[in-house]
Amino acid sequence: MAYSDITFDLNDNLAVVTLNRPDKLNATTRNMHAELRSAFDEIEKSGARAVLLSGAGRAFCAGQDLADLRMDGPGEILELLEQDFNPLVARIRNLPMPVVCAVNGVAAGAGANLALACDIILAARSASFLQAFARIGLIPDAGGTWTLPRQVGEARAKGMAMLAEPVPAEKALEWGLIWQLCDDDDLMDDAMRVASRLSRQPTKAFALIKQAINASSSHGFDAHLAVEAKLQAEAAASHDYDEGVTAFLEKRKPVFKGE
Ligand code: LHQ
């Protein structure tokens, strides 16, 4: 597929996806979603072992393009969520490899929740997270009402959703929304370094880590121990487990294949 609303590169098992409508702060359109679906299809088929997601220009993503709406009622919103946003964030959370997000500027509306669906989030000092929805009479979607209370607690989740004020990257770090704060000029290099390192690590174990952590909120502790043990047994069946232990005993660096 030829891409116009995103750019997509795949090198050395690392897929780099960039939202690419900088004039509109990378607001999402139906076409951008179609391109993202195609890129993630390629990623899953290609044997890629990590993904880096970012935005072109001064923003990460301003959420749904509000000029790309028919405005003919709730059916349209449901359609956009069920066909575009929900499958995208669910796919990222369930993708069997790490997804690193470099938040290079404002992440607003569903754009903020797209970033928060990723596994390792780095943000530039000048970036911010804005649950803009209430400004237009909506509620946080694309997983926002699930993710926010878990990551920042109910008090901050409700404050973010109702007051709809930007949360600067530094505060996002303090609140546990993101993994790392970077100087603006260093963000892409830092994110590339993290993503590239992850692309050479035990991918199968990462997929199982995602599965275990995703599942943790639907069980109590005892039930989760059983789930965790089963996933750990899967990890122990991998080449990378054998290699990790052998390399440790031989006092050398492991060479992981992601299998
Ligand atoms: C935009 C947008 C935008 C179009 C900037 N659309 N053009 C799901 C399902 C179905 C329906 C509804 O929604 C959803 C999920 C959602 O995401 S709802 C939330 C949608 N997003 C927003 O409400 C955020 C809207 N944007 C803003 O509040 C501001 O642009 C922010 C705070 C992000 C940045 O402000 P500034 O830095 O002052 O930039 P700007 O406002 O001047 O924007 C620059 C350009 O980008 C401008 O275009 P122009 O042609 O005038 O230069 C904006 O119109 C355009 N733009 N966001 N979401």
Side-chain angles (χ1 to χ4, degrees), residues 6-242:
I6 66 169
T7 63
F8 174 56
D9 268 322
L10 186 58
N11 267 312
D12 290 338
N13 297 326
L14 173 61
V16 179
V17 178
T18 307
L19 309 178
N20 190 34
R21 299 184 69 229
D23 294 349
K24 298 296 171 190
L25 307 189
N26 303 317
T28 60
T29 56
R30 305 255 25 207
N31 183 61
M32 184 191 282
H33 277 285
E35 292 186 7
L36 285 168
R37 274 191 292 278
S38 163
F40 278 100
D41 286 346
E42 281 194 55
I43 288 167
E44 291 209 68
K45 272 188 256 151
S46 66
R49 291 170 61 188
V51 180
L52 171 59
L53 176 66
S54 190
R58 70 179 174 93
F60 171 68
C61 174
Q64 166 66 31
D65 187 320
L66 298 175
D68 194 40
L69 292 172
R70 300 191 302 267
M71 290 303 287
D72 56 3
E76 177 182 34
I77 305 281
L78 261 184
E79 187 181 310
L80 284 167
L81 291 175
E82 288 176 354
Q83 294 179 10
D84 289 346
F85 287 103
N86 290 356
L88 175 62
V89 291
R91 190 163 193 180
I92 289 173
R93 280 187 67 85
N94 295 315
L95 202 72
M97 68 193 78
V99 182
V100 176
C101 186
V103 183
N104 51 301
V106 64
N113 296 332
L114 170 60
L116 297 180
C118 298
D119 301 309
I120 306 276
I121 308 163
L122 295 87
R125 263 176 214 285
S126 65
S128 59
F129 295 81
L130 170 60
Q131 295 292 324
F133 306 87
R135 292 185 179 187
I136 55 167
L138 291 179
I139 70 167
D141 58 21
T145 58
W146 191 91
T147 308
L148 288 172
R150 284 172 173 76
Q151 284 170 335
V152 298
E154 270 196 36
R156 285 168 174 161
K158 285 179 181 164
M160 286 180 77
M162 291 182 186
L163 297 172
E165 288 168 4
V167 173
E170 200 161 340
K171 191 170 271 185
L173 179 70
E174 186 191 316
W175 286 3
L177 267 178
I178 64 170
W179 169 250
Q180 191 182 331
L181 187 65
C182 305
D183 287 336
D184 286 20
D185 289 345
D186 296 337
L187 174 74
M188 289 317 294
D189 284 348
D190 288 351
M192 198 65 185
R193 208 170 300 120
V194 171
S196 152
R197 170 179 149 194
L198 290 169
S199 74
R200 295 187 303 271
Q201 299 285 311
T203 316
K204 176 75 183 164
F206 291 158
L208 295 165
I209 288 170
K210 287 180 71 158
Q211 230 179 300
I213 291 180
N214 285 347
S216 66
S217 54
S218 39
H219 308 119
F221 184 72
D222 290 337
H224 191 71
L225 283 179
V227 172
E228 194 183 74
K230 192 173 146 285
L231 295 172
Q232 184 70 298
E234 265 188 64
S238 66
H239 160 277
D240 288 343
Y241 167 63
D242 278 347

